[in-house]
Amino acid sequence: MSTSNIINPALFFADDNLIGDKVEKSVRRMKDLKGIFQDEAAFLQIQEEKLVYEVSSFLPVKEGTPGGLYFGITYLYPGKVGDEYFMTKGHFHANIDRAEFYWGLKGEGMLIFMDEQRKVWAERMFPGSLHYIPGGIAHRVANTGNQMLSFGACWPSDAGHNYEEIAQNGFACRLVDRNGVPNLI
Ligand SMILES: [Fe+2]
């Protein structure tokens, strides 16, 4: 057996950074999150170019391919719009029965779930926390700390994203800061 068929991985982690030639990066700025936060006056006070979150992802197969997997790391900045924590847009999967794993890498936050009957609950995220998001459940993440929250995700390549439902109807509860404590109201 020669060593010529032993190669280095194409992807690796350095701390919570995903490194590799095929890593794609995307950003969401304040202006991409219009209508997500309750306090519109507070929203308008914030620079529309302000970064809210960035995503590094590895998408090895074409979107929609059955049986493949995608991998991503999200970096969600700390901050609030009024008393509501910075958060991701949130989505159901377009193929609604597809599940996903999230796991906490750095910082602290909350993974907010909502089922199709609009029942909402949340799990604390912290370095090492692992979260199974079943099919049929909308999900979004809020940064409840003072530093960057980073978390990993792994989801099926045929899950897709249905952002529309959440953009139109929101979640049934909001995660707000009440005297320094996150409250789901
Ligand atoms: Fe998802």
Side-chain angles (χ1 to χ4, degrees):
M1 192 78 174
S2 82
T3 57
S4 62
N5 52 358
I6 298 175
I7 59 169
N8 284 322
L11 289 159
F12 56 94
F13 287 100
D15 205 359
D16 63 344
N17 295 300
L18 181 62
I19 297 172
D21 290 345
K22 296 191 172 150
V23 173
E24 297 175 27
K25 300 205 170 171
S26 63
V27 301
R28 299 276 193 202
R29 298 177 187 277
M30 219 63 217
K31 64 183 181 188
D32 302 316
L33 300 171
K34 281 195 180 87
I36 296 286
F37 297 98
Q38 178 137 61
D39 189 338
E40 283 182 27
F43 180 85
L44 293 172
Q45 294 288 310
I46 302 173
Q47 240 299 322
E48 65 170 17
E49 294 297 327
K50 185 178 173 60
L51 279 172
V52 183
Y53 57 101
E54 302 175 61
V55 184
S56 292
S57 44
F58 176 55
L59 312 170
V61 295
K62 194 165 171 282
E63 171 96 49
T65 303
L69 290 172
Y70 287 160
F71 186 93
I73 299 178
T74 299
Y75 308 88
L76 177 56
Y77 285 78
K80 278 179 280 187
V81 177
D83 59 4
E84 199 171 8
Y85 300 100
F86 276 13
M87 59 183 171
T88 61
K89 289 176 87 163
H91 58 268
F92 285 98
H93 290 153
N95 266 326
I96 197 159
D97 66 345
R98 299 301 191 265
E100 182 166 12
F101 276 116
Y102 277 5
W103 58 97
L105 292 169
K106 278 186 173 179
E108 53 185 298
M110 208 73 82
L111 170 55
I112 307 163
F113 302 89
M114 183 175 74
D115 70 16
E116 291 182 85
Q117 286 70 49
R118 299 186 57 76
K119 179 179 168 246
V120 175
W121 68 100
E123 286 181 3
R124 291 187 184 87
M125 295 185 95
F126 47 86
S129 67
L130 178 64
H131 312 270
Y132 180 66
I133 303 164
I137 306 293
H139 39 289
R140 79 164 19 138
V141 173
N143 185 342
T144 57
N146 300 315
Q147 55 169 317
M148 184 83 90
L149 169 70
S150 57
F151 62 94
C154 184
W155 67 103
S157 49
D158 64 350
H161 294 92
N162 174 3
Y163 291 112
E164 204 53 36
E165 170 65 29
I166 300 304
Q168 281 179 12
N169 302 315
F171 272 52
C173 296
R174 293 179 176 277
L175 190 71
V176 298
D177 180 334
R178 288 284 181 269
N179 303 313
V181 180
N183 268 259
L184 202 52
I185 58 166

